[in-house]
Amino acid sequence: MEYSTKEAGTLYEQLFIVESLRRGLQPHTPVGDFLPHDLVVYGSNGICYRVQIKGTSTEARHSKRPNQRGRYRITAAYGSKSKTLIDCNQTDILACYVAPWDLWYIIPCEKVRSVCVWLYPDPQIKKRKRTGTYEQYKNNWDIFT
């Protein structure tokens, strides 16, 4: 089924809430959608984390290597026209969902270095030198403990 961008965003947020609850975390949804984060999660360590949730269901093609497969792009930014990198003064964690793999990347905001976050969930993909910056954050739910 195809979803609009807004529908997909809502779906990813709900999936994050379900997974958080399964892991014994306490997610809370702020009222309204004007804040720079989607949820506040109370970790098992008693700390509150402001979480921005992003997701994708589409594999990204490489413009110079059209046969290269297995990578997904998340836009770690806000703004409808010009994109601005998420603000780590207002967001603690970027949670990225790769729908075809049913996989979460839980990335500390200060580790996000650019508007484009490239993810390579397939362990069979041969890793190039610059591939996999965020692979260490795959299923990194321990960040909440």
Side-chain angles (χ1 to χ4, degrees):
M1 180 174 186
E2 293 292 319
Y3 297 103
S4 71
T5 304
K6 194 78 167 167
E7 289 171 326
T10 300
L11 176 62
Y12 301 142
E13 288 173 17
Q14 297 305 309
L15 289 169
F16 184 87
I17 289 170
V18 169
E19 189 61 30
S20 296
L21 290 169
R22 282 186 184 148
R23 294 173 179 273
L25 302 171
Q26 299 175 22
H28 296 268
T29 305
V31 176
D33 62 356
F34 53 86
L35 294 172
H37 53 274
D38 297 311
L39 292 172
V40 174
V41 175
Y42 289 86
S44 59
N45 56 8
I47 298 174
C48 295
Y49 299 90
R50 298 164 298 177
V51 181
Q52 176 66 48
I53 299 167
K54 301 285 186 174
T56 185
S57 61
T58 308
E59 191 174 27
R61 297 294 178 172
H62 196 292
S63 60
K64 294 180 182 173
R65 287 173 245 152
N67 293 329
Q68 181 180 334
R69 300 182 52 90
R71 74 183 196 154
Y72 295 82
R73 185 183 78 195
I74 298 289
T75 303
Y78 62 91
S80 58
K81 292 186 180 173
S82 63
K83 297 294 183 187
T84 303
L85 185 63
I86 60 172
D87 183 354
C88 293
N89 292 318
Q90 299 179 356
T91 302
D92 303 309
I93 294 173
L94 176 65
C96 305
Y97 184 66
V98 182
W101 289 84
D102 188 25
L103 183 64
W104 286 99
Y105 288 77
I106 313 295
I107 307 169
C109 184
E110 65 271 4
K111 300 298 183 183
V112 178
R113 298 288 182 227
S114 68
V115 168
C116 288
V117 172
W118 293 100
L119 305 173
Y120 300 84
D122 187 348
Q124 301 303 316
I125 298 297
K126 182 181 176 186
K127 303 291 188 237
R128 296 184 326 273
K129 185 176 181 181
R130 296 191 59 188
T131 299
T133 302
Y134 301 102
E135 293 313 298
Q136 63 186 311
Y137 303 109
K138 191 183 293 183
N139 282 320
N140 184 34
W141 291 92
D142 290 341
I143 199 168
F144 296 109
T145 59

